[in-house]
Amino acid sequence: MKVKKMDMYQKRKARKEMKNNENKEEMQNQMNINWYPGHMAKTKRQIIEDMKLVDVVIELLDARIPKSSRNPDIQGMLKNKKKIVILNKSDLADEKETKKWIEYFKKKNILAIDVDSNQGKGIKQVSQAIEKIMEDELKIQNSKGRIRKTIRVMIVGIPNVGKSSFINRISKKTTMTVGNKPGVTRQKQWIRIGNQIELLDTPGVLWPKFESEEVGLNLAYTGSIKEEILEKTEIAYNLLKFLDENYSSDLYAKYKISEQEIDEIKDNPQYTLELMYLIGKKRGALISGGNIDEEKVAKIILDDFKNGRIGKITLEKAE
């Protein structure tokens, strides 16, 4: 009877591994079809219209995924607008990689600033950068005897990149709705910063089709697309595979996984799945018969990553 149970256990894991390997194309199609809410097309049209009103555009990116969190549609809307890139949530990202990303943007003549909106790191530099980038234009106006104009700044970014937290911090207010779910901010808002700067907030907007499965998964890992769109266990499986390959010491330390335990499973063709099951056992994600509650362990891994409990992790390296 014991052998039979183990047989069923191994078969179950084999089916799971097969599913992870065979459903990549289906996952990509599902992301491209189901995740684009109707309000985003309307928001895109509104951003294009409001772009005429502003002098500077601040593009908020997630410091963990600077490439995947850049909306290619927004790049087309900017045209000749002055731009500042904010690498937000830098407290959750690998500091060495964030510095490389700042250099990456610098080589493209784009000012990038790493910001932790929760603690206020980098906020002062952003205010200074807005005034600096408009300095020449304001001097020209002053030389012509014109009254110093208000600098109008538009904040753009994908859902859940932290726009509301950023605006609350830079404006020293806590009146905006802030949440850890995509699509919390909806209405257009102007916020005054001191005497010279006004910020225009915009709702988070995605684009209709992801260019690769990697982009879709990165957005799923960080919560920019709703978890309900994809199977949570598939997302956690792929994230765990990345973490084990790139941040194994942080991963093993978080879940108290020993070298001996890794040695016991490292040659298994279903290694990542075995690792996921090992984490489930350590965190008590068990169901009847001693099996693992896959949904529960998937949620544990995803929540720990999103909240920085595994470590400071960057999913994309600068070119």
Side-chain angles (χ1 to χ4, degrees), residues 5 11 31 86 92 112 121-122 131 145 206 214 227 266 268-269 317:
K5 278 187 178 180
K11 285 179 181 178
M31 282 189 288
I86 302 298
L92 303 176
K121 177 191 173 185
E131 295 186 8
L206 290 163
E214 180 184 356
E227 291 179 352
K266 67 180 180 182
N268 193 309
K317 295 183 182 296

Side-chain angles (χ1 to χ4, degrees), residues 224-236:
S224 290
I225 56 176
K226 294 179 180 178
E227 291 179 352
E228 294 85 354
I229 292 169
L230 298 172
E231 188 180 343
K232 193 176 293 183
T233 54
E234 301 285 346
I235 301 170

